[in-house]
Every structure is written in C-alpha cells, then in structure tokens.
Amino acid sequence: MKQKQIFLLHFSYWLIFIVNAFISKMVYGKDSFGVLNVTILIANFLGFYVNYFLLAPRFFNPKKFYLMIIGFFIGVFFFVLFRYSIEEMLLPSLMGFRNYAEGTTLGFYFYDNIYYSSLTIFVSTNLWFFQYYFTAEAERIKLIEENKHAQLQALKTQINPHFIFNSLNNIYSLVYQNSDKALPAIEKLSELLRYSTKDLEKDVISLDKEIGYIESLIGLEKLRIKNPEMLVIEKNISYPKINISPMLLVPFVENAFKHGDFREKGFVLKVSDDNKVLHFYLHNYKNQKTKDKASGIGIDNVKKRLEILYPKKHELYIKDLESEFIVDLRIIFPYEND
C-alpha cells in the first residue's frame, strides 16, 4: 500500500472522529467544543499511535490469539494512562477542575475507559495490519518477480552453451570431411552468436527476430544435409513485432537437427500467429542410430520458461514416438503486446 493511501486512511479516521465529536455536542445540546473534547482527542491520538507503532507490531500474531488480547489491554492501559495524566493530574493543576469525580477508583476508571478506547485501539490495530499485509504482499510479489527474472536468466544462459555445442559438432564434421561448406558454416555461426549474445540479455525480442534465428539455424544446418529440399518450412506471420522471450522456439529446432533423420525424410516446420496466438508445429523423424540421453536439456528448459512466462496462456503437446518427434505449441500473447 502506498504511503499516500496510508495517510488518507489515517486522515479519514481522525476527520470522522472530530466530526463525530461536534455532532455529539449538537445532539446533546452543548454549544461549544470543550476542553474535555480536546483532552480525550489527545488521549486517543497518543493511544492510537503508541499501539500503531509499538504494540501492534509486537503483539499481532494470528497463530497466538492470546497475545492479541494482551496487546489490546496494554493498548487500553496506555490510553487510560494518557487520559488520567491529562484530565486528572494536569487539568486540576492548571484549570482547577477534573473530568471524573474526585475519589473515583482506578478500577472504575480503567473499566470505564475500555469503552472509550476500544474503537481507537481496534482501528489502530487494523490500520497497522492493512499496512503490514499490503507491504508484505508487495514484497512477496517483488520477490516472486525477482526470482522469476533470476530463474529466467539462469535458464537462458543454459541455452547458449547448448546451442554452441551442437553447432560446433556440425562444423567439426564439415571440417573433418574437408568440405567447402565449413567456412560458410563458421560465418553463419558467428552471425548467430552475435545475435544471441546481444539479445539473450533482453527480456523480450520481436517475433520476427526469433524466427530469424530459426531461419539462420536452418541455413547453417542445410550446409551438412544432402537433400535440403526435404526441410519443409511454412511461415505465416501477421504480427512480426510482437514480443516473445528470446530463444524460446530455437531449442525445438536444435533438437530436431540433433536427433533427426535427414537422409530420406527431413522435417516439417510451421509457424503462424493468427489472432495473436502463436502456433509452432514441428514434425521430424528420428535417427535411430543416435541415442543421446542428454537430448532433453533444451526441451526441459523451454518447458520451465513457458511455465514462468505464460502460465495458463500456453499449450505444449509433445509426442515422442519410436521413430517420430512432434511438437505442437500454442501461446496466447499477453495484452501488453497490443
């Protein structure tokens, strides 16, 4: 809760308190706002803020109700102490009169003032609780966001080494074969690394840039594939500048190239964003000779990021069959992309 809102709550309470005192005077036929009205206002004010700043933070504990009862009566005690000091000690010495009749016992004085102080202590405790709750809630939300950001940064840093490792394996194979495709492959990898190094630091990038990564990656992989025409790519993008987390789609494509069978079958990739719903579909055939137990790192990474970034706003279906791997992902983009 903002400080301005807290101030307005306090101000409203004291305004109502003073207005009520004037109304009471009118109802009971007294014309002036007397000295005793001022003294009880001072006693309420002092009791209110002693409870607000000292007692409520110390005794408020929903799990220990008895502490709250103790805190309430201590608050009443301070109200009584303030009122007694002002009306029964200070007023007689300065103005020659007191509020209660002389000889009034302390027991009666305390009991009588439970009535006058209860509302003040109750409101004071509740206002403190509201401030505490909203402050704690704001800190909790901030902590969640900070944890999300830290987790996303950690997840994103996992992508880059994984991506480099896969690409270097491909280039190593070209170099080993003395292929004239090795140099273009290195150039394309350097382009990809420049983009990824710069954009992985950002929270979001444009959708067309993410797809650009994928197209560059496919261009890099085509250099080692004998039949690149088997890579079927369909792109239908109406909102190229819509925001998306960087490297969110790339791991699926990486995974397809790492474990796919491109001798005779290739793969099918479809990307569209009709009505601002991203649809990413990828179907590839597995290379039965490759059995890499670490193949799930990139996919698991994406699953975690999707849960953090688009909770209840995405659907991810993965079919991991004996000879095929299918990814069907839909993301409903948030309203801030409008």
Side-chain angles (χ1 to χ4, degrees):
M1 184 177 287
K2 296 180 180 179
Q3 291 298 320
K4 183 178 180 180
Q5 294 173 311
I6 295 172
F7 172 79
L8 287 175
L9 285 174
H10 285 252
F11 178 80
S12 298
Y13 172 73
W14 291 114
L15 181 62
I16 292 171
F17 186 95
I18 294 171
V19 170
N20 181 66
F22 276 106
I23 293 175
S24 297
K25 281 292 184 181
M26 294 173 60
V27 170
Y28 291 108
K30 296 182 179 180
D31 297 330
S32 62
F33 189 77
V35 173
L36 293 178
N37 294 102
V38 175
T39 59
I40 198 169
L41 173 62
I42 295 173
N44 272 281
F45 186 87
L46 293 174
F48 185 101
Y49 287 107
V50 165
N51 180 73
Y52 185 85
F53 289 112
L54 300 178
L55 301 179
R58 185 177 182 84
F59 289 95
F60 186 86
N61 189 340
K63 296 181 179 179
K64 296 181 179 179
F65 188 71
Y66 68 91
L67 285 179
M68 297 167 64
I69 298 297
I70 293 172
F72 171 80
F73 280 104
I74 293 177
V76 171
F77 169 78
F78 274 101
F79 174 89
V80 173
L81 177 65
F82 294 137
R83 190 176 187 192
Y84 185 86
S85 299
I86 296 170
E87 294 184 352
E88 308 303 319
M89 297 176 65
L90 187 61
L91 281 184
S93 62
L94 294 179
M95 306 186 72
F97 69 93
R98 64 181 70 233
N99 186 14
Y100 285 74
E102 191 171 355
T104 299
T105 64
L106 288 175
F108 177 83
Y109 196 93
F110 185 85
Y111 175 79
D112 192 45
N113 277 279
I114 290 177
Y115 168 79
Y116 292 107
S117 62
S118 292
L119 179 61
T120 293
I121 302 302
F122 177 78
V123 172
S124 173
T125 300
N126 276 276
L127 284 180
W128 175 85
F129 171 72
F130 287 144
Q131 180 181 5
Y132 169 81
Y133 173 79
F134 286 110
T135 300
E137 183 67 11
E139 290 176 352
R140 186 184 71 84
I141 292 172
K142 182 180 178 182
L143 181 61
I144 290 174
E145 292 301 318
E146 288 176 351
N147 287 340
K148 280 185 178 181
H149 181 73
Q151 187 175 355
L152 283 171
Q153 290 301 111
L155 288 170
K156 285 196 290 187
T157 56
Q158 292 178 19
I159 295 172
N160 208 18
H162 185 59
F163 169 72
I164 296 172
F165 177 77
N166 290 343
S167 299
L168 286 176
N169 272 345
N170 296 337
I171 294 173
Y172 173 81
S173 176
L174 293 173
V175 173
Y176 183 79
Q177 298 169 18
N178 291 319
S179 172
D180 57 359
K181 297 179 180 178
L183 186 58
I186 294 173
E187 291 176 351
K188 285 186 175 294
L189 177 59
S190 66
E191 289 178 11
L192 286 167
L193 291 179
R194 276 198 299 270
Y195 287 133
S196 63
T197 302
K198 181 176 65 175
D199 289 323
L200 270 176
E201 298 176 355
K202 301 177 182 177
D203 292 330
V204 293
I205 59 173
S206 61
L207 179 59
D208 62 344
K209 189 168 286 189
E210 177 76 0
I211 295 174
Y213 289 150
I214 294 174
E215 291 175 333
S216 296
L217 176 59
I218 292 172
L220 179 63
E221 296 289 352
K222 278 183 177 181
L223 295 175
R224 69 178 181 90
I225 295 174
K226 293 181 180 180
N227 302 305
E229 67 276 2
M230 292 190 302
L231 305 182
V232 179
I233 303 169
E234 296 180 11
K235 183 176 66 171
N236 183 18
I237 301 300
S238 302
Y239 305 95
K241 298 306 178 183
I242 207 164
N243 288 332
I244 189 170
S245 181
M247 295 295 183
L248 193 64
L249 306 177
V250 172
F252 292 120
V253 183
E254 283 185 310
N255 187 71
F257 281 116
K258 184 178 181 182
H259 304 286
D261 182 358
F262 298 100
R263 292 169 298 178
E264 297 178 357
K265 297 177 180 178
F267 77 6
V268 175
L269 171 63
K270 299 179 181 179
V271 185
S272 63
D273 62 352
D274 295 337
N275 298 316
K276 292 191 178 180
V277 177
L278 176 65
H279 184 203
F280 178 89
Y281 175 87
L282 179 60
H283 180 196
N284 69 279
Y285 293 90
K286 293 181 179 179
N287 186 346
Q288 297 302 308
K289 294 181 180 181
T290 303
K291 298 294 181 183
D292 186 353
K293 294 182 180 180
S295 63
I297 294 176
I299 303 300
D300 289 341
N301 185 298
V302 174
K303 288 179 180 178
K304 292 175 183 177
R305 293 175 67 199
L306 285 169
E307 289 297 329
I308 295 173
L309 292 165
Y310 305 104
K312 299 181 180 179
K313 294 291 184 179
H314 76 279
E315 295 178 352
L316 175 61
Y317 298 102
I318 295 178
K319 291 183 180 180
D320 192 357
L321 307 176
E322 181 67 24
S323 61
E324 300 175 60
F325 193 85
I326 301 172
V327 176
D328 194 338
L329 170 65
R330 284 179 170 82
I331 299 175
I332 302 173
F333 285 112
Y335 291 114
E336 56 263 29
N337 273 301
D338 290 342

